[in-house]
């Protein structure tokens, strides 16, 4: 049985395909369209479906849409539509997602999604559309937070767990609590709009001059440079009841903190302090919610998803100060992951006897053969060299303090580059962080992250064990800090990725060879893209990014491209 999951309601449009409990493929539409996040979360973009991601998933499975048994869409417009009719002014629940004039349009686009799928397929993708008829019983609207929760629990390593989902908004909920056991998920509570920790963070992201629903991670990075000057003020806006619920006052950031920062303006100290205070109150609030959830469920394990769960500093607080023994976060925790969650939820409904598949890696996107790459290089008349030992020869380049683009295997699903579409460099010199930010045209305060061989992670980062998805920060051990200064953030932490042979053999071998040359089993790993662009997907994307950016080399499958070789 094939189940196709689709996320398209807000942003990070994506698709995922499951066959009898086994994930076949998953990808964000931005990878194919080159539009960051696929689209902006506005009501008149809701009709746009992730046709390119859908087409890729079908291609990976070798099927057409006619052979898909079920289609799961990660938003249920009936919940919001029915609820609006009953709300009657209750300010503790959502009455609309967008302003009144746009909400009906948004809901209409959701309800017409099956027709959009049938009629809106781009002409050049028509081949896999052949024979498609969407009977009502094949189409399933899945509650947004159930999709988040399913993406967190079912691919986790746990048979039982509490599940916490935190995002900006779904149909009604902004925060939801579940208990997962085997093939079931039971909701134990929720917080509804307009009260939302995700929306609070979005509001302040806009105030600080960044793009909301996009740049929240920049605010998290900015926070490390500030002090908790405004912590009490933020605390005064948030009211917890001790039972898993909270309310947030509707306040004006300008009235509370002064004029907003204009985009592109320099940073005053108060902006650092505002970001820091915001981050701290988020951590305090979610930690209290986690303690309530633990008491309510009596579970040792916690699974998390939702856009707020991409806040790796928050995740580390929950890991270190929370009551749960183990914490697992869905690597595609944002809305893209709801495509996966919706597909899993419907697959579980019809395939309850089939065990769910643990998600041990995030490599579920497209891959390209050596023949594909070499044919393209020859067609583009680009000089290249085939490598005899990709890992060893690339390690030698990196040991010379050069920056490389690294393009290997299936692409990552989710927002993090994890060694398939990465920019890699040595962490040995502190100046490399600034150099990479210049190459990628990023803000100076942005840190770069390390990848480390799994078996030695604890020797370099305090209490580090397995962290394959770059979703937690760890303190760098004091005796190792001067060996990897480029990945040390201003607060002494690093957002690490651990890697083992099973997850990505060639990536692991590269670290092994670099360690042999330098004595350091750590590399800088940042996403293979430049500012405002999605992570590269195809060989053509990688070559274009390489030639328009000051990288030293590109290692793409078995081939090496070097700029100084053609000077």
């Amino acid at each position: 049985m094939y189940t196709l999951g689709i996320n398209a309601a807000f942003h990070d449009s994506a698709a995922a395909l499951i066959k009898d409990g086994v994930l076949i493929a998953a990808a964000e539409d931005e990878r194919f369209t080159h539009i960051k996040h696929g689209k902006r979360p506005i009501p008149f973009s809701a009709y746009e479906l992730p046709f390119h991601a859908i087409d890729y998933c079908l291609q990976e499975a070798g099927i057409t849409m006619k052979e898909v048994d079920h289609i799961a869409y990660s938003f249920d417009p009936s919940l919001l539509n029915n609820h609006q009719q009953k709300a009657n002014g209750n300010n503790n629940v959502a009455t609309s997602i967008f302003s009144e004039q746009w909400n009906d349009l948004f809901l209409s686009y959701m309800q017409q999604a099956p027709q959009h799928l049938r009629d809106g397929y781009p002409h050049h993708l028509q081949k896999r559309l052949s024979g498609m008829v969407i009977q009502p019983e094949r189409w399933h609207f899945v509650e947004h937070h159930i999709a988040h929760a399913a993406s967190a629990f079912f691919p986790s390593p746990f048979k039982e767990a509490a599940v916490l989902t935190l995002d900006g908004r779904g149909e009604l909920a902004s925060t939801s609590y579940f208990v997962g056991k085997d093939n079931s998920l039971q909701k134990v509570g929720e917080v509804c709009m307009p009260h939302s920790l995700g929306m609070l963070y979005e509001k302040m992201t806009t105030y600080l001059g960044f793009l909301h629903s996009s740049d929240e991670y920049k605010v998290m990075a900015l926070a490390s440079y500030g002090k908790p000057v405004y912590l009490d003020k933020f605390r005064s806006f948030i009211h917890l009841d001790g039972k898993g619920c909270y309310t947030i006052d509707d306040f004006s950031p300008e009235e509370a903190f002064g004029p907003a920062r204009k985009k592109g303006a320099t940073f005053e100290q108060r902006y650092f302090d505002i970001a820091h205070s915001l981050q701290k109150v988020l951590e305090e609030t979610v930690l209290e919610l986690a303690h309530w959830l633990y008491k309510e469920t009596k579970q040792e394990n916690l699974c998390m998803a939702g856009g707020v769960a991409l806040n790796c500093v928050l995740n580390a607080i929950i890991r270190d100060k929370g009551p749960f023994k183990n914490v697992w976060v869905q690597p595609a925790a944002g809305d893209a992951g709801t495509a996966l969650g919706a597909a899993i939820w419907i697959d579980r409904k019809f395939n309850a006897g089939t065990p769910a598949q643990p998600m041990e890696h995030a490599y579920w996107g497209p891959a390209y053969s050596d023949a594909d790459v070499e044919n393209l290089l020859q067609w583009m008349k680009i000089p290249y060299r085939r490598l005899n030992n990709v890992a060893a020869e690339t390690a030698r380049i990196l040991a010379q303090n050069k920056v490389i683009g690294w393009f290997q295997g299936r692409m990552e699903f989710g927002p993090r580059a994890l060694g398939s579409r990465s920019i890699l460099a040595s962490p040995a010199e502190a100046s490399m962080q600034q150099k990479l930010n210049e190459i990628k045209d990023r803000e100076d305060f942005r840190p770069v992250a390390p990848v480390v061989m799994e078996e030695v992670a604890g020797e370099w980062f305090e209490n580090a064990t397995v962290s394959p998805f770059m979703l937690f920060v760890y303190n760098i051990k004091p005796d190792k800090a001067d060996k990897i200064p480029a990945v040390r953030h201003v607060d002494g932490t690093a957002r690490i990725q651990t890697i083992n042979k099973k997850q990505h053999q060639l990536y692991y071998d590269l670290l092994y060879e670099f360690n042999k040359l330098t004595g350091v089993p750590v590399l800088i790993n940042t996403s293979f893209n430049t500012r405002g662009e999605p992570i590269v997907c195809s060989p053509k994307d990688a070559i274009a990014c390489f030639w328009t950016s000051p990288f030293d080399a590109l290692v793409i499958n078995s081939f090496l491209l070097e700029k100084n070789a053609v000077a």
Side-chain angles (χ1 to χ4, degrees):
M1 185 184 83
Y2 286 103
T3 304
L4 175 69
I6 297 173
N7 170 59
F10 297 117
H11 54 93
D12 295 319
S13 305
L17 185 67
I18 288 176
K19 181 182 180 182
D20 297 328
V22 177
L23 179 58
I24 303 297
E28 293 96 319
D29 213 46
E30 67 166 25
R31 309 296 208 245
F32 308 95
T33 64
H34 302 150
I35 299 171
K36 189 78 169 174
H37 298 292
K39 58 183 181 179
R40 294 301 297 152
I42 49 180
F44 41 85
S45 72
Y47 76 92
E48 298 179 35
L49 297 180
F51 290 113
H52 296 80
I54 292 169
D55 194 71
Y56 156 67
C57 289
L58 298 177
Q59 182 180 3
E60 189 69 37
I63 62 173
T64 66
M65 188 66 84
K66 184 179 181 180
E67 297 167 83
V68 174
D69 298 282
H70 297 281
I71 302 166
Y73 186 94
S74 62
F75 192 94
D76 187 350
S78 68
L79 293 175
L80 184 57
N81 194 36
N82 294 339
H83 190 75
Q84 286 178 321
Q85 298 173 17
K86 300 176 183 178
N88 295 325
N90 185 344
N91 65 1
N92 194 45
V93 296
T95 55
S96 64
I97 287 181
F98 299 102
S99 62
E100 191 90 16
Q101 60 181 328
W102 293 117
N103 213 54
D104 289 344
L105 177 66
F106 175 74
L107 285 172
S108 174
Y109 281 157
M110 299 297 100
Q111 292 160 345
Q112 297 301 316
Q115 288 73 32
H116 294 319
L117 179 60
R118 183 191 63 208
D119 300 333
Y121 232 85
H123 289 296
H124 66 288
L125 302 179
Q126 287 284 340
K127 183 172 65 173
R128 275 171 284 276
L129 184 63
S130 175
M132 181 177 68
V133 178
I134 303 178
Q135 297 93 347
E137 63 271 17
R138 293 179 63 202
W139 184 274
H140 309 271
F141 287 113
V142 177
E143 183 181 346
H144 190 70
H145 271 253
I146 285 179
H148 271 311
S151 79
F153 173 64
F154 292 115
S156 78
F158 312 131
K159 295 294 184 183
E160 293 188 14
V163 183
L164 172 60
T165 66
L166 293 154
D167 69 359
R169 55 184 176 253
E171 302 88 351
L172 307 174
S174 64
T175 302
S176 293
Y177 311 100
F178 299 82
V179 172
K181 293 185 179 181
D182 296 322
N183 282 309
S184 69
L185 269 175
Q186 179 182 356
K187 186 183 289 187
V188 296
E190 65 182 8
V191 178
C192 289
M193 288 289 290
H195 308 291
S196 167
L197 292 168
M199 292 301 293
L200 170 63
Y201 216 92
E202 281 194 14
K203 176 190 284 191
M204 297 311 299
T205 296
T206 300
Y207 171 83
L208 291 168
F210 300 116
L211 185 63
H212 75 85
S213 299
S214 177
D215 291 344
E216 283 72 19
Y217 62 96
K218 296 182 183 181
V219 177
M220 180 185 69
L222 197 70
S224 298
Y225 293 85
K227 296 179 181 179
V229 174
Y230 302 99
L231 184 54
D232 287 341
K233 184 164 286 190
F234 275 111
R235 284 171 174 164
S236 72
F237 300 143
I238 302 174
H239 312 283
L240 294 113
D241 70 352
K243 299 177 182 178
C245 291
Y246 62 84
T247 60
I248 300 176
D249 296 341
D250 183 15
F251 68 94
S252 164
E254 288 79 6
E255 292 178 5
F257 305 109
R261 173 181 170 265
K262 294 182 179 179
K263 292 181 181 180
T266 56
F267 287 95
E268 302 172 15
Q269 183 58 43
R270 70 184 180 96
Y271 296 133
F272 294 116
D273 296 338
I274 289 167
H276 182 89
S277 303
L278 171 68
Q279 177 68 29
K280 289 301 178 184
V281 79
L282 176 72
E283 294 166 8
E284 288 181 356
T285 304
V286 178
L287 187 61
E288 184 167 337
L289 299 178
H291 277 284
W292 172 83
L293 182 58
Y294 177 76
K295 292 177 184 177
E296 187 73 12
T297 64
K298 299 176 175 60
Q299 294 290 325
E300 287 190 342
N301 306 312
L302 175 67
C303 300
M304 294 174 63
V308 178
L310 290 172
N311 190 308
C312 59
V313 179
L314 166 66
N315 294 345
I317 293 293
I318 303 304
R319 177 198 66 205
D320 296 338
K321 297 184 179 181
F324 293 95
K325 183 178 179 180
N326 304 297
V327 181
W328 192 86
V329 182
Q330 164 57 234
D335 275 7
T338 64
L340 171 63
I344 294 174
W345 182 249
I346 296 304
D347 177 81
R348 296 295 84 204
K349 179 179 178 180
F350 292 96
N351 260 333
T354 304
Q357 179 191 40
M359 196 170 180
E360 297 178 347
H361 62 78
Y363 309 116
W364 298 106
Y368 299 84
S369 68
D370 273 2
D372 293 333
V373 173
E374 189 163 28
N375 288 339
L376 178 65
L377 291 170
Q378 291 175 350
W379 179 78
M380 298 176 78
K381 297 181 172 60
I382 294 175
Y384 64 91
R385 177 165 64 89
R386 182 184 285 271
L387 300 175
N388 295 318
N389 186 323
V390 173
E393 294 182 66
T394 304
R396 285 197 289 271
I397 296 171
L398 290 167
Q400 297 168 23
N401 217 34
K402 293 183 177 181
V403 177
I404 69 159
W406 176 257
F407 185 105
Q408 304 291 339
R410 294 186 71 176
M411 187 177 189
E412 303 90 342
F413 180 52
R416 309 284 192 240
L418 299 170
S420 283
R421 305 291 187 273
S422 294
I423 297 172
L424 304 178
S426 168
E429 294 185 12
S431 60
M432 185 58 78
Q433 181 255 353
Q434 182 181 359
K435 181 177 181 179
L436 285 168
N437 280 340
E438 289 174 355
I439 287 173
K440 297 188 66 175
D441 190 26
R442 305 195 320 176
E443 296 86 354
D444 292 342
F445 62 82
R446 300 270 298 278
V448 291
V451 56
V452 58
M453 295 165 63
E454 182 182 288
E455 65 269 28
V456 296
E459 299 173 17
W460 289 78
F461 304 94
E462 292 182 0
N463 302 315
T465 52
V466 177
S467 186
F469 303 127
M470 274 192 177
L471 286 168
F472 297 88
V473 297
Y474 293 85
N475 289 314
I476 298 176
K477 288 201 166 185
D479 64 326
K480 297 295 194 297
D482 61 345
K483 296 182 179 180
I484 51 173
V487 298
R488 185 182 184 276
H489 198 25
V490 66
D491 60 2
T493 66
R495 185 189 71 198
I496 76 168
Q497 176 196 7
T498 59
I499 191 70
N500 61 40
K501 291 182 179 181
K502 184 178 178 182
Q503 292 160 342
H504 198 311
Q505 175 77 56
L506 186 58
Y507 190 35
Y508 176 89
D509 289 346
L510 174 60
L511 280 158
Y512 180 83
E513 295 292 339
F514 185 77
N515 185 39
K516 284 201 318 185
L517 291 172
T518 65
V520 176
V522 178
L523 283 170
I524 297 172
N525 168 24
T526 187
S527 57
F528 194 163
N529 65 327
T530 52
R531 191 174 188 175
E533 292 290 326
I535 300 173
V536 301
C537 176
S538 69
K540 193 172 184 179
D541 296 340
I543 292 166
C545 186
F546 170 63
W547 283 111
T548 56
S549 305
F551 303 175
D552 296 299
L554 169 61
V555 180
I556 178 167
N557 283 27
S558 300
F559 307 101
L560 172 66
L561 283 65
E562 292 183 283
K563 288 176 181 170
N564 60 8
V566 294

